[in-house]
Amino acid sequence: MRQSKTKHLLAAMLITGFATMANAQKKTTDLLIKLAPGVNTATVLSGGLLTRSSVIEPLGDQWVRVQSSERRSDLLETLKNDPGVEYAQPNYPIRLLEDYRPADPLRRVAMARYAAKLQAKARPAPPKTDNPAIPDAPASLKPGLDPDLNKQWGMLDIGAAEAWKVTLGSPDMIVAVLDTGVDYTHEDLLPNLWRNTKEIPNNGIDDDGNGYVDDMIGWDFVSNDNKPYDLAVDQFQLLTGGGNPGHGTHCAGNVAAKGGNSLGIAGVAPDVKIMSLRFISDKGGGTTAYAIKSIRYAVDNGAKIMSNSWGSEGEDPAAGAENKALRDA
């Protein structure tokens, strides 16, 4: 009798285990669809095109993001054949253009082992805390030449010094950096951060009614909060496993590191303002949906220029693929 109960218990445990494994392996289908004119998300759900369990997120201009438990190939086929849908595509991954890992896999393994030995000897790192608070804009600047300006060969090549005789860029010009975020505590960037003057800091209210609470300098679409801080991986992680080396901060410095303040470098337009938008994570990847939301935020909040130093999947003409959602945005 006891042996029979044991067998039943083991069978139940196995079935539960297999079910758990199946659920873990089951991936959510993530698509972007463009609804036909006159069609809205309520129409799509009421028409039975998508199940009630589907998560639908509007992206603007008739584009919506759909997350569903249905198999991707089946759902794509259904959507493409529906008259209420103008276009359907995967929510293609976005990635940084550079990959700093060595191409030789044996060298990567060797570096990983070496890094592991060093980490074992090192003191344990303190636990990660929340992103730093956004500092106030500095009240005054220390005038003087930027000490590393003569090392900026790119600036010399494009003749930036001659251009600066005409203009340093207008403080009214907002440049959105859509990337891994920006180190908004960096002393050479802090004076040129765009500030949302329509928002009252840290009151937990969306004062300007743009859909984002306390968005003082931009937005983090990865974490969905108001601190678009550039989370960079360490050098060993970068070389052995890839990731973000501080790419967004680097791009922001190229655009508008403050000039003539006796610090670091100068940007190409050292008087313009930087809007910080994070949609690529510390792993170096993001999604088309987050890119689209970043683009829309930039345009809706006054940016006239965008820095987009990244690449998208779904852009291979030979494969017949097209990231139409991103192109439309």
Side-chain angles (χ1 to χ4, degrees), residues 249-262:
T249 300
H250 175 77
C251 290
N254 286 341
V255 172
K258 188 64 181 176
N261 62 345
S262 299

Side-chain angles (χ1 to χ4, degrees), residues 270-283:
D271 277 359
V272 303
K273 298 302 180 185
I274 301 163
M275 179 186 287
S276 310
L277 296 172
R278 179 177 185 253
F279 83 97
I280 298 176
S281 74
D282 55 328
K283 303 298 183 185

